[in-house]
Amino acid sequence: MDPADPMPVIDAMAFDSTDPERLARFWQALLGGDLHPEHDEVIELHGAAVRLDFARVPEGKQTRKNRLHLDLYIPPTSKDKAIAKALTLGATRADDIYDGDLWQVMRDPEGNEFCFVWGAGNP
C-alpha cells in the first residue's frame, strides 16, 4: 500500500431510525458496549469491532429486504441462546428471507435484518 494513497477503513455502520435511542439500546443489549449521544440526534455504540451509529430520520424502513446487513458469528453451541436473547430484546425471526441450517436471519425492532451465523465456513 502506498502511504501517499491510503486505503479507506470502515469507521462505522450507520442505521437510519425513527427512534434511535430505542434501537441503540437494543443493539447495546445484544452486543455490549457504551452509548455516546452525539450531535444531530445521532447515538454511537462503541465497544464492538465496528462502531454503530443510529441517526433519527422521519420515515420508517422503505424496502422489504436490506441489501446490507450485519453477520454476527456465534459458536454453534450458543446459537439457540443468542437467538432467544435477541427475541427477548424485541427482534423477530426473518424466516421469509432464509430458513436453513447455516444461519438465522433476524430483524431488529425497526425491521433491519441481521444474521446469527454459525456455519458456512465461519470461524
Side-chain angles (χ1 to χ4, degrees), residues 12-80:
M13 174 88 173
F15 291 75
D16 287 348
S17 174
T18 57
D19 188 349
E21 290 179 36
R22 177 175 173 244
L23 195 58
R25 284 193 303 272
F26 166 83
W27 284 99
Q28 179 189 35
L30 191 65
L31 300 175
D34 299 311
L35 296 178
H36 297 267
E38 296 295 324
H39 57 82
D40 298 327
E41 298 189 79
V42 173
I43 300 171
E44 297 179 353
L45 176 59
H46 293 253
V50 174
R51 188 184 80 226
L52 304 179
D53 293 348
F54 304 90
R56 184 174 305 280
V57 296
E59 73 281 350
K61 185 178 171 196
Q62 302 295 312
T63 61
R64 178 173 139 67
K65 182 179 181 293
N66 291 355
R67 296 194 52 173
L68 178 69
H69 65 270
L70 296 175
D71 282 347
L72 307 174
Y73 175 78
I74 53 173
T77 56
S78 300
K79 67 182 181 178
D80 293 334

Side-chain angles (χ1 to χ4, degrees), residues 1-2 5 8 14 22 35 39-40 44 47 49 71 79 82-83 85 91 94 105-106 109-110 120-121:
M1 182 168 87
D2 181 357
D5 188 21
R22 177 175 173 244
L35 296 178
H39 57 82
D40 298 327
E44 297 179 353
D71 282 347
K79 67 182 181 178
I83 292 166
K85 179 179 180 180
V105 182
M106 307 290 290
E110 289 207 9

Side-chain angles (χ1 to χ4, degrees), residues 69-74 79-80 82-84 86-87 91-107 113-119 122:
H69 65 270
L70 296 175
D71 282 347
L72 307 174
Y73 175 78
I74 53 173
K79 67 182 181 178
D80 293 334
I83 292 166
L87 292 169
T92 56
R93 291 177 179 268
D95 293 338
D96 57 307
I97 294 173
Y98 172 81
D99 186 15
D101 296 330
L102 299 176
W103 61 84
Q104 175 64 56
V105 182
M106 307 290 290
R107 289 186 178 98
E113 290 93 13
F114 65 97
C115 295
F116 286 119
V117 296
W118 56 84
N122 289 291

